[in-house]
Amino acid sequence: MLGYIGRRILATIPVMAVVGLFVFSLLYFAPGDPAAIIAGDQATPDDVARIRATLGLDRPFLVRFWEWSWQILHGDLGTSIFTNLPVTTMIGQRVQPTVSLMLVTLIFAIVVAVPLGVVAAWKAGSLIDRLVMGLAVTGFSVPVFVVGYVLAYVFALELGWLPVQGYTPIEQGLWPWLSNLILPAVTLGLVYIALIARVTRATMLDVLQQDYVRTARAKGLGQGPVLFVHALKNAAVPIVTVIGIGIALLIGGAVVTETVFAIPGLGRLTVDAILRRDYPVIQGVVLLFSFVYVLVNLAIDLFYTVLDPRIRY
């Protein structure tokens, strides 16, 4: 098992190196001259030259990449061009809303999607199965921003049950914190629910045909223990895998969701940085998102050693 864990950890190093190279290349391969775009139409050649020096565009690519990588390894993501604040400071100011949104969405999606998938497999071919799969298709088909605007209009503007926008830190109370996240979490979680429910159903259909499930039923076990103890436990590997892959949906969807509901998180920070072409901030946030995604998939790989004893050695 230790050998497997060591190999998986070592495998993340070249992945992060490639990700870092891609993120750094955004500055060099962006359309036009980034320094001239940032400086604006009224800028003088000296202003453009100063910005080029600040961004490191006046030095060779490999030299600048090495310096940037060395800074990253020491926890320095650079400095914002427009605010002159360290990128790490700006990320630290915005990280709680995004983490809160993703955590609530993740819990909501798993709690809803896994039982739906199990019930759909149990009632395969029935009206319940068709309804669950219809909801899954709808969740995949409707854009996140459309769902967000509809939910905000109905539950915030018309009914007045929930706040329409903003974020309240958890230090100010559990309900104020949660009330600001319910609509964004539902909006962001629909696609995730559709994905997990469909994979859960497909995996459970296969597991329910296995001999040990028929044996458990023959021993007189009820449907609950058969479905959620015997079958679901053995169907967990693909489900956990798709949950890990779906983190990318949460990261990408957080950008749109935070914009719709005016949540001051990393998604909004990314949008603002793109609009202002604040490349150090863009690089820092994209690198952070990439690192989180790689780390989550590493955790999923390591979790396999618990779910599947065959890969412990």
Side-chain angles (χ1 to χ4, degrees):
M1 181 173 65
L2 293 178
Y4 173 79
I5 294 175
R7 289 193 302 271
R8 298 310 302 168
I9 293 176
L10 290 176
T12 62
I13 297 177
V15 172
M16 286 307 303
V18 173
V19 169
L21 178 61
F22 172 77
V23 171
F24 181 76
S25 301
L26 292 175
L27 180 61
Y28 283 83
F29 297 113
D33 185 355
I37 295 173
I38 293 171
D41 297 334
Q42 306 299 323
T44 64
D46 291 339
D47 294 333
V48 176
R50 177 177 53 81
I51 295 176
R52 288 183 62 85
T54 301
L55 296 176
L57 295 175
D58 57 342
R59 283 173 285 173
F61 177 85
L62 292 179
V63 173
R64 181 58 186 139
F65 176 66
W66 170 254
E67 294 176 349
W68 181 78
S69 301
W70 185 253
Q71 292 174 352
I72 296 299
L73 292 175
H74 288 77
D76 183 7
L77 297 177
T79 303
S80 170
I81 298 172
F82 291 90
T83 64
N84 288 322
L85 291 174
V87 176
T88 52
T89 300
M90 298 179 67
I91 290 176
Q93 295 171 346
R94 301 290 193 98
V95 71
Q96 188 191 101
T98 299
V99 171
S100 299
L101 174 60
M102 294 181 65
L103 181 62
V104 173
T105 302
L106 186 64
I107 295 174
F108 166 69
I110 294 174
V111 168
V112 173
V114 173
L116 282 179
V118 171
V119 172
W122 176 39
K123 297 291 186 179
S126 67
L127 178 61
I128 295 177
D129 182 25
R130 289 193 291 271
L131 286 175
V132 172
M133 290 300 98
L135 291 174
V137 172
T138 304
F140 270 121
S141 304
V142 181
V144 172
F145 67 90
V146 173
V147 176
Y149 285 130
V150 171
L151 291 179
Y153 176 77
V154 174
F155 293 99
L157 298 180
E158 290 294 321
L159 299 177
W161 291 354
L162 296 167
V164 68
Q165 61 181 6
Y167 173 77
T168 302
I170 193 171
E171 295 84 358
Q172 298 183 18
L174 181 61
W175 173 245
W177 170 78
L178 185 60
S179 63
N180 279 109
L181 294 174
I182 291 177
L183 291 182
V186 173
T187 300
L188 185 57
L190 286 182
V191 177
Y192 205 30
I193 289 173
L195 177 64
I196 298 175
R198 294 185 67 173
V199 172
T200 302
R201 176 186 180 274
T203 307
M204 287 290 294
L205 282 175
D206 180 64
V207 171
L208 289 175
Q209 305 302 318
Q210 302 299 317
D211 291 338
Y212 60 83
V213 174
R214 288 193 288 268
T215 301
R217 286 172 172 166
K219 290 181 178 180
L221 291 179
Q223 285 292 349
V226 170
L227 291 174
F228 290 97
V229 178
H230 289 74
L232 185 59
K233 179 181 178 180
N234 289 278
V237 171
I239 298 172
V240 171
T241 301
V242 79
I243 290 174
I245 294 174
I247 297 295
L249 293 176
L250 295 183
I251 293 174
V255 176
V256 178
T257 306
E258 289 182 2
T259 302
V260 171
F261 291 96
I263 298 175
L266 295 177
R268 282 289 301 277
L269 179 63
T270 304
V271 172
D272 294 340
I274 291 174
L275 293 176
R276 297 185 299 187
R277 291 178 171 83
D278 197 344
Y279 287 98
V281 177
I282 298 172
Q283 290 174 327
V285 175
V286 172
L287 188 66
L288 175 64
F289 281 155
S290 303
F291 176 74
V292 169
Y293 184 62
V294 171
L295 195 63
V296 168
N297 280 274
L298 173 63
I300 295 298
D301 286 343
L302 299 183
F303 192 54
Y304 287 161
T305 61
V306 178
L307 296 178
D308 193 346
R310 294 172 297 179
I311 60 176
R312 292 186 180 181
Y313 301 98

